[in-house]
Amino acid sequence: MEFIDLRSDTVTKPTPEMREAMAEAEVGDDVYMDDPTVNKLQEKAAEMLGKEDSLFVPSGTMGNLLALLVHCQRGDEAIVGDCSHIYLNEAGGMAALGGIYPHAIKNQTDGTLALDDILSAIQSENVHHTITRLVCIENTQNVCGGVPLTVEYTRAVGKLARENNLLFHIDGARVFNAATAQNVSVEELVEPADSVMFCLSKGLCSPVGSMLVGSKKFVARARHLRKMLGGGMRQVGVLAAAGLISLEKMSKRLGEDHARAKKLADGLRQVNGLVLDAGTPFTNMIYFDLANDVRLNAFQVTEKMKERGILLDPDNDRRFRLVTHYWIDDAAVGKTVEAFAKVLN
Ligand SMILES: *Cc1c(COP(=O)(O)O)cnc(C)c1O
């Protein structure tokens, strides 16, 4: 059976065009910086984000960790959101491997960190304090609903960072979704940041990989640390070839995923027993709870949906996040709504 897989956009398999490009990719040893396809990908990513240089990394987690390691020394502090991926879902790498202290402040429901909260989190110069070096935001903010942060907000954080001698990193795992949803360029959206990580392997459909983008100096240091972490790769042009298609083609079609998420949410709003979050979806993620009177829990619903060919990944025993992506078409949207209606009624 071919499953309809709504667990995440990380489940996206490479497109036939990607597989072809991967088979034909020109390659070389990327540790010698000799892989022409990787070099092309890195140039293209830097150009699209309006930064000097970029680095192909095996995962978004490694990209974020590298940014933290380049920007911060051991004992320094980074301000992060309490709902951020860096804080919650990267195995504490910043602390474990970098000796970097995460100063978590509240993510507002709109995904932002309040500017006043950032300001109050900055440590004053004092022998008792850590040195606040970095502020990180996440765009789109996943846990807050896949919500996109605006150009204006990002500029305001950039200004605050400059005025207070902080560096500024964007976890832009889904920054192309954020740009698409707001009809702005990614370049504009990341302009104030010193560094940005984004994932090729999610909505952009590549099988593997993320990009870390910033100044030449930043990327050179990140390349050194990538080797230290065991992330120096060889003939990795076979993966970069897919990444180029992600940038050139897949980045331009994310609006389709957002439209299907909207259609799916509209359908699910009509299903008894589901309570959708206000405003969902903002991009490609739909968040909802089971109504109090539904006797099944989310894990039981997941089992029953799987019997109907639909894969879900519940957040907890009452809550779901569904994610649309390249392999979810209109028929899949219809079947999903129908299956929920059957399972719950
Ligand atoms: C997926 C994700 C990452 C990390 O990417 P991996 O490739 O899974 O390591 C970082 N930040 C956010 C917001 C993500 O969704």
Side-chain angles (χ1 to χ4, degrees), residues 52-53 70 214-223:
E52 283 177 5
D53 205 354
V70 173
S215 70
K216 275 196 192 325
K217 194 170 160 214
F218 167 85
V219 168
R221 180 67 184 141
R223 180 175 284 108

Side-chain angles (χ1 to χ4, degrees), residues 257-272:
D257 298 342
H258 300 173
R260 289 206 178 90
K262 180 137 196 338
K263 212 170 134 186
L264 180 52
D266 289 345
L268 294 175
R269 281 199 168 85
Q270 308 305 313
V271 176
N272 279 330

Side-chain angles (χ1 to χ4, degrees), residues 309-322:
I310 295 162
L311 299 181
L312 307 173
D313 181 18
D315 266 4
N316 60 41
D317 64 347
R318 301 306 289 177
R319 189 163 175 78
F320 286 98
R321 181 196 73 171
L322 271 49

Side-chain angles (χ1 to χ4, degrees), residues 9-10 58-62 64 84-86 89-90 138-142 171-174 197 199 201-202 209-210 285 321:
D9 47 11
T10 57
S59 69
T61 300
M62 190 188 284
N64 281 335
S84 67
H85 196 279
I86 289 178
N89 294 315
E90 298 185 4
E138 183 176 310
N139 198 5
T140 62
Q141 215 302 338
N142 181 345
D171 175 352
R174 296 185 181 80
M197 184 286 290
C199 293
S201 64
K202 294 183 174 168
S210 295
M285 295 178 177
R321 181 196 73 171

